Amino acid sequence: AVADAQAVGATGAEASALVTLGTLADSRGDAAEARERLRQAQRKARDVGAYNTEIRATYFLALSHDDQGEFAEALKHASHGVARAEESGLSWSVYGLELRARQLMLRYLMGDWPDESAGRAGRGVSSAVAARILAIWSLFVVARGRFDEAAKLLSGLRQHWTADMQI
């Protein structure tokens, strides 16, 4: 797929194929190859304005580091991805949301606890998307000892449990 995309000058398709190859390399346990392919995909996608592909590559790059317990590096990539998603108007796209969720979870794990605004979804997003962010935010609320607030959050999240297994 990479060679075919290169042959016809379809750089966005080439970048997408590189993301797939990167994720497959990661699944095989070859993090070095995976990350190189994902960085190539990021660059190529960014160069041609294939924002969805760039954000997808960034998500899998963050995930690669997260899976190895390299949380600081994973957070760096997740934060970069969130910023790129915002810049391109894709904050609440599939991978924009996944990057935001990963960023919030990594911040929780690393003790880098954000202010209250991080627990809110943007205006105009669906209640299921907002619930996904609130589900992670509830960890911060409990850890801060605000149990009554956590109980309210939990009851509001209950209706979304069947919509997304990560809620």
Side-chain angles (χ1 to χ4, degrees), residues 20-130:
T20 300
L21 291 174
T23 59
L24 291 171
D26 229 4
S27 293
R28 282 194 320 272
D30 191 344
E33 179 187 340
R35 293 168 185 177
E36 179 55 32
R37 300 268 186 176
L38 293 167
R39 283 190 294 271
Q40 288 174 342
Q42 273 183 312
R43 283 190 301 274
K44 288 179 179 290
R46 184 177 44 250
D47 289 348
V48 297
Y51 302 119
N52 274 322
T53 302
E54 178 189 354
I55 292 165
R56 182 173 149 239
T58 304
Y59 170 76
F60 284 110
L61 189 55
L63 189 61
S64 176
H65 288 282
D66 189 352
D67 286 346
Q68 297 299 316
E70 300 164 352
F71 297 144
E73 192 69 15
L75 180 59
K76 181 182 95 173
H77 291 294
S79 297
H80 172 75
V82 167
R84 290 295 292 150
E86 289 173 354
E87 291 167 11
S88 61
L90 297 170
S91 294
W92 301 105
S93 65
V94 170
Y95 289 103
L97 170 62
E98 291 304 322
L99 281 161
R100 188 172 300 275
R102 179 75 43 199
Q103 178 191 46
L104 197 55
M105 181 59 80
L106 287 163
R107 289 186 73 179
Y108 175 77
L109 292 172
M110 295 177 65
D112 176 21
W113 293 6
D115 66 24
E116 301 295 317
S117 65
R120 294 187 202 99
R123 293 180 57 129
V125 301
S126 74
S127 60
V129 168

